[in-house]
Amino acid sequence: MSGSKKKKITKADRLKQILEEEEKRQKEEEEARVKYEKEEMERLEIQRIENEKLQKLEAKDLERRNEELEELYLLEACFPEAEKLKRDNRFLSQWKHYIECDGSPDPSIAQEINTFITLWKEETNETLEEVIEKSKLVLNLIEKLKLILLETPPYDLQGKNIIQYQESILELQELLHLKFNRATEILLRQASTLADLDSGNMEKVIQDENVTLYIWANLKKNPRHRSIRFSETQTGFEIPRILATSDIALRLLHTHYDHVTPLSPVLTPSQEHISIVTDFVKEEVKSVQTAVSKDLQEENKQENESNSVHEEETKAEGQGDVEEQMCPVQEEPEATKYEMEMKLLSETVSAAQELLLENASEKPYFLEENEVDLCQFTTLGGVYHLDILELPPQCKPMKGWMIVEILKEGLQKYTYPPETTEDLEAENVFPPIEVTLEVHENVIFFENPMVARWDAEGKQWKTDGISNMSYKSEERLITFNLETFCPVTLIQDAHINMPYQSWELRPLDVNKVLLTITTVFTELQIQIKENLCMLASIKVNNKNHSSILEEKWMTPVSFIIALKKAGLNIFPTGHSHLYVVINYKHPSVEVKAYRQMALLSSAFAFCWSKWNTACDSKKTVFQVREHLLKEEPIRNPNWTLLMFSGDRAQSLKINESSDAFSEALKEETEFHSTLYHMVKDFASQEAMRAVRHSNCQFVDSVCHMLLSTRLLSYS
């Protein structure tokens, strides 16, 4: 029993054990302190070496900065050259139009367009077919005026010209609609002669590339004939009894264009921007004039010295020498003039590019209740002009003649429901009209479209007065109830494809690239070559989707307009940041990045990076790699991760699969002031040669598309 008992620990043993543990703890602490100090010293030494290395690299970058910027300036001369070509083309197109003498007016010349409008106003008794044919010219003139406003750089547009062009657009739009009304009246006068044998009512459908017209005249006034469906279409109405027994005509004029929505304001620079550019130009002119005067004084001095030395030479020889010496002096001002023009163009182009990326601080106007916010939504598929018209007096045959009473006031609208009614149950007597419309086949809706009606008094689109809306996506039919007939349109969120999920820009051929933008709903592939763009392919919900725009080459501005009209809006505006969560980047940084990416795009591929959201607004991060045309497609290409601040480019140590973001410089790389010199460190001579020989219009078009999509801020 006693042997199995544990030995009792004495106080001395316990004290000894405590001392040993304390000694061991102190020893461990000392070892840990020594280890920490050693590691800290090593870390500080590594940091010191790294800092010294960075300081040397920064000093080296600063030392060659001016040289690199000068070389970049020479490469970026392609932008003013491209702008000069665009100006020359505008003048050339005006000249071609002048010498063709085809009878159509030049819309940019006020006298010509005013004469055209006046002469067309005087033309009467035009049929719908004639108006539709003439509308092709009118729509072309409107399109030309809109393109002038969009393609001309803001600094070249004078305020009076903007007002002139916009007034011409509005006059042409109003006159075209007036002509459709008059032609409708002429047709309705003959309704009785065009009546359908079965129903006894008149029905007519006219289809064209720009408009589709549906007209129904109620000649029989049969109260049971309340369902109207136009032949070979799904378009129609369900009308109440009171309309079925009235002398009315129903007209649906579907214009595939929108002449109802107010014109968008033209992008114009602020006075601050104008003064900056003006001051720059004045300084440039002054410096160039000073340099020229110095050169001329120096040449005159040399000439005088030469004349004094050779005073005794023959007069004939002297005269010849003077002529020879005068030649370069005469050429100098011409060269100087061109240099000044290009410097001015370069500055105005840069300022215009930055203007494209400016974000508005607030919405342009206060919204009323039920008003459609045109900064957030966009109209698609044109406008459906719905009208209930009073049936005009019909033509009557008499002794071989057709007699018709022409009303002085012209075509009149039938008011439904009446403005005043004594019936307490007016909703039952004048119920809403059911309307079924076919959605334009060339427009893509990624969600069910919304319907908006035009409020003529407030000059705005509104969503009230519309009920029981349903949409059949397969048949592309939309049905809704409308309290009163008026123009209606379909609207969609303008930012439904923003922000983007990813993007890539890669070369396809000499001066030809492919820009791929992937969003939640779609993947767009856009080809760019010279001064043209084309929609190469489109996928909706990962399925190929055919579009009328595919394989059609257009100028960048026309291409952007066409994509927007088709519902493929990937072009943010100055107000888009108010509706989309974006990764804001400073406009000056974005502009420099897009310009230099465009310069390199003929030999280098660029791709989005998830780390672009991790850096601040004055830095951008993206991937780049050399991509020569002879290379076979690489399954897992080796991308280089670059960070660019507008003034400095560097290769990052991290990659796309790293766990955390770090601005640490990649080993054995250096800082550079431009992207061009950054990629030059790892690029082949062939790639750099391709960059230097890029077509100026091609570079300008790529840059314009990058500026318009704002990939670095909206992805």
Side-chain angles (χ1 to χ4, degrees), residues 573-586:
T573 66
H575 297 95
S576 294
H577 68 286
L578 300 172
Y579 307 97
V580 182
V581 178
I582 68 166
N583 178 28
Y584 175 74
K585 299 297 176 185
H586 196 276

Side-chain angles (χ1 to χ4, degrees), residues 61 65 68-69 596 644 646-649 671-675:
D61 177 40
R65 177 174 176 77
E68 289 187 351
L69 291 178
Q596 295 181 41
F644 183 57
D647 298 319
R648 172 175 288 176
F671 295 119
H672 284 281
S673 299
T674 73
L675 288 178

Side-chain angles (χ1 to χ4, degrees), residues 216 218 220-226 239-246 248:
W216 178 81
N218 190 14
K220 284 295 182 181
K221 301 186 239 351
N222 184 350
R224 290 177 295 178
H225 192 81
R226 295 165 57 182
I239 61 174
R241 181 185 180 87
I242 192 168
L243 289 180
T245 56
S246 301
I248 61 157

